[in-house]
Structures are given as C-alpha cells and as structure tokens.
Amino acid sequence: MSLSNRCFLALFALVAGALAPPAARAGDASAGKDVFKTECAECHAVAEGRNKKGPSLFGIVGRKAGSVSDYDYSDALKHSPWTWTTEQLHTYLSQPAKKANPGTKMKYDGLDDAKDLDNLISYLETLH
C-alpha cells in the first residue's frame, strides 16, 4: 500500500472515531432501581407528574433540563442548555451538584462508584 493510501486510511480512521457516538455504558437497570432507592428516592419520584423536593424523574432521559412544567427549578437549571442524555446524566451525577451546575438548589454529593452510576442511569432509561 502506498504512503498516500496509508495516510488517507489513518486520517479516515481518526475522523470516523471522532464522529462515532460514545460507547454505551453497560448497566443493570434492576440494580439501578436499588441505587435509585438509596441515592435519589428521598427527593425524586419516578411516577409521572409526582414531584417531591426535586422534580419527577419520569421520562428524564431525553428531556430538556429544567422543563417539568409544575416544578420550581433554580435559575441555574432553568437556563441550562442541557438535555438529559445518558452522557449528561453521567457527567452531572458523578460530581457534586453544586459543581456540576453552580447555583442549583439540588443538594447531592455525587455518585463516585462507576458501576452504581451506570446501573442508576440504566434504570432511569426505563422510566417512560
């Protein structure tokens, strides 16, 4: 193979890798339900339309941040450009809420166990 062909293939592989979606995180939704109970249930419900201290997490994956109409969000979250993708949830929930979204009223220290976090997000994906 000529040098120019090898360079083209290397460049193609680099661009294709950059454009590929992030690798899916493998989580266990059943185990994630238990993580939800210990980490989230005090403040969040999973039933549609049922808010607690925090908004309902029903349909969270794919929803625009700060968009549950009958919940009073902090300005920091109301004006956030985020959509709750699995990657955005992973980033947000893996660190203290005050660091992830300065000005938020959410009091959460973050979940630093990667397996529990993947399981939790897999469970949240089932809420629709």
Side-chain angles (χ1 to χ4, degrees):
M1 181 181 298
S2 73
L3 180 59
S4 63
N5 284 346
R6 284 190 300 228
C7 289
F8 173 77
L9 288 176
L11 180 60
F12 177 78
L14 181 65
V15 170
L19 296 176
R25 298 177 188 279
D28 176 349
S30 179
K33 185 174 185 176
D34 292 334
V35 176
F36 177 86
K37 288 176 185 175
T38 60
E39 294 288 323
C40 314
E42 179 180 336
C43 297
H44 295 278
V46 296
E48 185 174 16
R50 181 163 184 259
N51 299 322
K52 293 170 86 173
K53 290 179 194 173
S56 169
L57 297 183
F58 182 86
I60 184 73
V61 177
R63 183 170 77 203
K64 170 133 178 39
S67 66
V68 171
S69 62
D70 59 344
Y71 183 76
D72 184 27
Y73 291 95
S74 63
D75 286 342
L77 202 52
K78 276 194 274 192
H79 299 109
S80 165
W82 300 335
T83 294
W84 292 121
T85 63
T86 57
E87 285 304 313
Q88 185 62 52
L89 284 163
H90 191 277
T91 298
Y92 189 79
L93 296 173
S94 66
Q95 59 187 316
K98 302 277 185 205
K99 181 178 177 187
N101 186 233
T104 188
K105 60 184 179 180
M106 182 169 160
K107 295 177 179 148
Y108 186 65
D109 292 331
L111 184 57
D112 57 5
D113 183 302
K115 184 175 181 181
D116 282 351
L117 185 55
D118 288 344
N119 291 342
L120 173 61
I121 293 170
S122 290
Y123 172 65
L124 295 176
E125 289 176 317
T126 70
L127 303 176
H128 50 82

